[in-house]
Amino acid sequence: MNGAILGLLVVVAIFVLTLLLLILSRYRKCPSDKILIIYGKVGSNPDGSARSARCVHGGAAFIWPVFQSFQYLDLTPMTINVDLTKALSQQNIRVDVPSRFTVGISTEPGVMQNAAERLLGLKTNEIQELARDIMFGQLRLVIATMAIEEINTDRDKFLEAVSRNVETELKKIGLRLINVNVTDITDESGYIEALGKEAAAKAINDAKQSVAEKNRDGSIGATKAIRDERISVASSDAAAVEGENESKAQIAQSDATRREMEAEALRRATAAERTAEARALEEAYAAQKAAEQARADRDEATGQADIIVNARIAKERKELEAESDAEQTRRRAKGDADAIYSRMEAQARGIQEVLEKQATGFSKVVQAAGGDPNAAVQLMIADKIEDLVKLQVDAIKNLQIDKITVWDSMSGAGGSPTTSNFLSGMMRSIPPLNEMFKMAGMTIPGFLGTENAEENQLACVNPAEGEVESVSESVQSAETTETAG
């Protein structure tokens, strides 16, 4: 038993170890100078289409066995020599532009996806050939749009146009342009060389002309300097004498002008002081007036604000109280209406339930009577006859008669005593059964008697209790007592 368990544990351990080694063997790390391309079942794009590959630059990824596979793309830069010859320029002059391009696979997400789709599996020389073809075409296109002078003199503009066009096309296959170097530009007609010689000759002639002009300017300058020196000395002597005389006159004139200016300044200063003092007093009075007016306006505004604010607060308080009372009244009325509605609804449901039960009972009684309504009524009356008779008797049951004094002259109808007539009339005050049936719009059943049998009905009222008999006996005993007296 222990051996079997030990063997099972060994098998499980081997399985776990194998699974772990398989997982480790499928976990791939991406170096910084490569791109890991995972292809197979790699998910879908945001628009729902299937992805062709997943690119990883840096980090690591797990490669599912059977469903996925992987390859690397090298990011090492590649140098491509493009010796473009006899390219036609804008002036229809053919030029040779030997250049060197440095390119590499791009790591931008979208461009990297293009590289995975178009360069995966290609060798380095194949990638270089593909890029060289693109560069040849774009170089020819740029040269065809520029003049020889622009290409030769404005190299920055030329290189910028080449870089822009070439890089745009290289991104379509997943490459990026790192550097462009144009070594030399020549043409088969010698136009560029002639331009160079023309520029050199022009520069030499300009230099010679500049030297001659400088020599001439030096000689003229020396002669002018000697003449100017002599003129300057003579002029200086004359100007010195004249200057002394003018200086003396100017001094005297300046003294007079100074004294006039001092007097005028003193007058203006005095007037300005008086004017300033008056203006200051005027401004002070105006400012004081404005301050008093502002204070009055402020007091008036404060009073009006207090009155208006208090009135507005009182108005809003009354409005709120009125709205509160109205809301309470509406809610109270709504509650009363709901209560009345609920009570009436409950009463209606109770009455409906009672009537439905009575109707059900009546229909069952009619069914029990074989469908004959009259027989059903007879059954119901027979069931309630005792209660009906009891109600008739209860009408005089609790009548208290303390004492009856009878002066009977025996002059009743048919020679009957007056006392018996009195009791008979009291009993007849109870409605007979046939009258009750008439009031209900029905006819008394034959088994209960007829209208001629009222006396028999009265004689039969509750004979078990003996109430009528006891009353008759009491009356007879009273008659006997009075007669004996």
Side-chain angles (χ1 to χ4, degrees):
M1 184 66 180
N2 293 332
I5 295 174
L6 182 60
L8 181 61
L9 291 176
V10 170
V11 172
V12 172
I14 293 173
F15 176 75
V16 172
L17 182 61
T18 304
L19 182 61
L20 181 61
L21 291 176
L22 178 62
I23 293 174
L24 292 176
S25 65
R26 301 298 293 182
Y27 189 76
R28 295 296 176 180
K29 293 176 287 186
C30 181
S32 59
D33 62 340
K34 295 182 183 299
I35 297 176
L36 176 61
I37 308 297
I38 303 173
Y39 55 91
K41 190 175 182 59
V42 292
S44 59
N45 294 315
D47 58 356
S49 60
R51 294 176 61 184
S52 60
R54 181 162 63 94
C55 302
V56 179
H57 177 228
F62 180 76
I63 312 300
W64 290 97
V66 179
F67 299 102
Q68 295 177 350
S69 186
F70 69 96
Q71 287 187 24
Y72 289 100
L73 283 177
D74 195 355
L75 297 178
T76 303
M78 296 174 288
T79 301
I80 302 174
N81 293 322
V82 178
D83 297 328
L84 180 62
T85 59
K86 297 183 181 181
L88 193 63
S89 66
Q90 188 179 19
Q91 299 161 317
N92 293 327
I93 298 175
R94 296 190 179 276
V95 296
D96 299 336
V97 186
S99 57
R100 177 175 294 178
F101 291 83
T102 303
V103 298
I105 295 176
S106 178
T107 57
E108 295 181 16
V111 182
M112 188 165 51
Q113 187 71 24
N114 293 339
E117 293 177 356
R118 294 178 175 86
L119 302 181
L120 188 64
L122 296 181
K123 297 180 181 179
T124 303
N125 57 349
E126 294 175 345
I127 297 175
Q128 290 178 350
E129 288 297 327
L130 180 61
R132 185 179 288 109
D133 293 338
I134 295 174
M135 294 170 187
F136 268 116
Q138 295 304 315
L139 268 176
R140 290 183 183 276
L141 179 62
V142 172
I143 292 172
T145 59
M146 297 181 69
I148 296 295
E149 290 80 0
E150 290 180 320
I151 298 173
N152 189 42
T153 58
D154 197 352
R155 290 293 182 90
D156 292 336
K157 179 180 179 181
F158 174 67
L159 293 178
E160 182 181 358
V162 171
S163 300
R164 183 174 59 252
N165 287 17
V166 171
E167 187 168 12
T168 301
E169 296 300 321
L170 289 179
K171 283 184 177 180
K172 296 179 181 179
I173 62 172
L175 297 176
R176 64 183 297 265
L177 182 63
I178 299 175
N179 185 35
V180 180
N181 185 17
V182 177
T183 57
D184 194 10
I185 300 176
T186 59
D187 66 303
E188 60 183 9
S189 61
Y191 182 72
I192 296 176
E193 184 178 358
L195 289 176
K197 290 179 180 181
E198 179 184 0
K202 182 178 180 182
I204 293 172
N205 293 330
D206 290 341
K208 290 180 179 181
Q209 182 180 357
S210 177
V211 171
E213 289 176 354
K214 295 300 180 184
N215 291 332
R216 182 197 63 188
D217 293 340
S219 300
I220 294 173
T223 305
K224 285 183 178 181
I226 295 172
R227 183 194 63 184
D228 292 340
E229 181 182 2
R230 293 176 64 185
I231 293 172
S232 297
V233 171
S235 297
S236 297
D237 292 338
V241 175
E242 185 181 359
E244 289 177 358
N245 295 331
E246 290 179 356
S247 297
K248 291 177 181 179
Q250 288 177 359
I251 289 171
Q253 183 67 29
S254 178
D255 290 338
T257 304
R258 178 179 57 81
R259 286 194 297 270
E260 289 179 1
M261 293 177 64
E262 288 178 353
E264 181 66 21
L266 179 60
R267 183 187 65 79
R268 287 199 303 268
T270 304
E273 289 177 358
R274 298 291 187 271
T275 304
E277 290 177 357
R279 188 179 293 110
L281 289 174
E282 181 182 359
E283 292 178 354
Y285 293 151
Q288 186 175 1
K289 178 181 178 182
E292 293 295 332
Q293 183 64 34
R295 185 177 63 80
D297 294 340
R298 184 198 63 188
D299 294 340
E300 182 180 0
T302 302
Q304 290 180 355
D306 293 339
I307 295 172
I308 293 173
V309 170
N310 292 333
R312 185 180 293 114
I313 291 174
K315 177 183 176 183
E316 292 179 354
R317 182 173 64 251
K318 290 181 180 180
E319 290 177 354
L320 292 175
E321 290 176 354
E323 290 179 359
S324 176
D325 295 340
E327 183 64 23
Q328 290 180 0
T329 303
R330 285 194 297 270
R331 292 186 178 181
R332 191 179 299 111
K334 187 176 184 301
D336 295 342
D338 293 341
I340 293 172
Y341 177 79
S342 299
R343 184 171 64 254
M344 297 301 293
E345 186 178 10
Q347 291 178 357
R349 286 199 300 268
I351 294 172
Q352 181 180 5
E353 186 69 21
V354 171
L355 293 176
E356 289 178 355
K357 295 296 182 181
Q358 287 181 353
T360 302
F362 290 158
S363 81
K364 289 184 178 181
V365 170
V366 173
Q367 291 177 2
D372 187 0
N374 293 326
V377 172
Q378 292 176 2
L379 288 175
M380 294 175 64
I381 293 175
D383 182 63
K384 299 294 182 179
I385 189 63
E386 184 178 355
D387 295 335
L388 294 174
V389 175
K390 184 177 179 181
L391 288 174
Q392 285 183 320
V393 174
D394 285 344
I396 60 171
K397 177 179 180 181
N398 296 323
L399 183 64
Q400 301 292 332
I401 301 175
D402 242 1
K403 180 179 179 182
I404 299 176
T405 303
V406 180
W407 287 272
D408 194 357
S409 60
M410 301 299 289
S411 60
S416 61
T418 305
T419 302
S420 61
N421 291 335
F422 166 74
L423 293 176
S424 176
M426 182 180 296
M427 292 301 296
R428 283 189 178 90
S429 65
I430 301 174
L433 288 178
N434 64 332
E435 293 297 331
M436 294 174 63
F437 273 84
K438 287 181 179 180
M439 286 187 289
M442 296 185 298
T443 304
I444 186 171
F447 65 86
L448 293 179
T450 61
E451 294 183 3
N452 297 327
E454 289 184 6
E455 297 295 333
N456 295 333
Q457 178 184 353
L458 283 173
C460 295
V461 172
N462 206 1
E465 296 184 359
E467 296 176 357
V468 177
E469 293 177 0
S470 62
V471 173
S472 300
E473 290 175 358
S474 299
V475 174
Q476 292 176 4
S477 61
E479 291 176 352
T480 305
T481 304
E482 291 294 329
T483 305

